[in-house]
Amino acid sequence: TGCSEPPQTELFAVVPEMGHVPTPESIPVIDHERMDGGRLTNTNFEGKVSIVNFWATWCGPCIVEIPDFVALQEEWKDRPFQFVGVSLDEEGFDAVRPFAEDFMMQYPQILDPKAALGEGFGGVYALPVTFVVGPEGQILAGHAGLFPLKDYLPDIERLVEEIENS
């Protein structure tokens, strides 16, 4: 599939044979309208671990993984941790809003219907695609397909604890 070798970070060491995607070193410039109002910018990523999930309402695997994301976001809502949903729905928030409400997606949602932001993350050519972003905007891992949250969770929790203890 043309994927390059993943960088040797702790996250990749946990699940080296899964659907890794090549990723740039840091997130691109982000300045997008949020579904709940306001803007999502790069400053929203500072000082926390973020999981950026590219998805769409019509994507079956996306629907499968969202409940786990919702549950972890709720469990860790008071920690330096944040999911961010990036919908590729061309109908915009009119399509995303009822879906997000039905699934109780209480984390920021932005739109990327032309996949321009996805290009900044190295290209999003299938859904879902998920990236783990460190507290300084560095991309630590990228994964195409269902995100194996259980496999990544020990490393994500360690990163969150490092921030909490610093």
Side-chain angles (χ1 to χ4, degrees):
T1 57
C3 288
S4 63
E5 282 297 306
Q8 294 305 308
T9 66
E10 292 85 354
L11 287 167
F12 281 112
V14 173
V15 282
E17 299 306 318
M18 295 206 165
H20 296 295
V21 293
T23 59
E25 290 181 14
S26 60
I27 60 174
V29 173
I30 298 173
D31 186 2
H32 285 68
E33 178 185 0
R34 290 173 53 144
M35 186 175 71
D36 61 357
R39 309 229 23 110
L40 183 82
T41 67
N42 292 68
T43 58
N44 295 106
F45 293 84
E46 294 172 3
K48 65 179 82 165
V49 175
S50 301
I51 297 183
V52 179
N53 176 243
F54 286 82
W55 70 285
T57 59
W58 44 262
C59 164
C62 301
I63 294 166
V64 169
E65 67 186 4
I66 286 172
D68 289 338
F69 296 171
V70 169
L72 186 61
Q73 181 65 60
E74 177 61 24
E75 182 182 340
W76 287 10
K77 65 184 174 193
D78 297 322
R79 300 182 80 184
F81 174 80
Q82 181 70 66
F83 274 97
V84 174
V86 183
S87 170
L88 274 64
D89 282 277
E90 293 180 3
E91 300 83 11
F93 289 135
D94 289 342
V96 175
R97 187 171 283 107
F99 184 95
E101 289 170 359
D102 286 349
F103 279 81
M104 297 181 283
M105 298 168 79
Q106 298 299 318
Y107 50 89
Q109 299 293 324
I110 61 174
L111 298 173
D112 189 31
K114 301 206 181 325
L117 184 59
E119 285 297 313
F121 272 85
V124 172
Y125 303 107
L127 292 177
V129 173
T130 306
F131 296 92
V132 179
V133 179
E136 296 166 12
Q138 70 277 34
I139 297 176
L140 302 174
H143 187 90
L146 282 171
F147 187 68
L149 187 58
K150 284 186 277 197
D151 294 326
Y152 281 96
L153 202 53
D155 281 320
I156 294 169
E157 181 149 32
R158 182 184 47 75
L159 292 168
V160 169
E161 287 173 352
E162 285 175 9
I163 297 166
E164 290 171 331
N165 296 327
S166 64

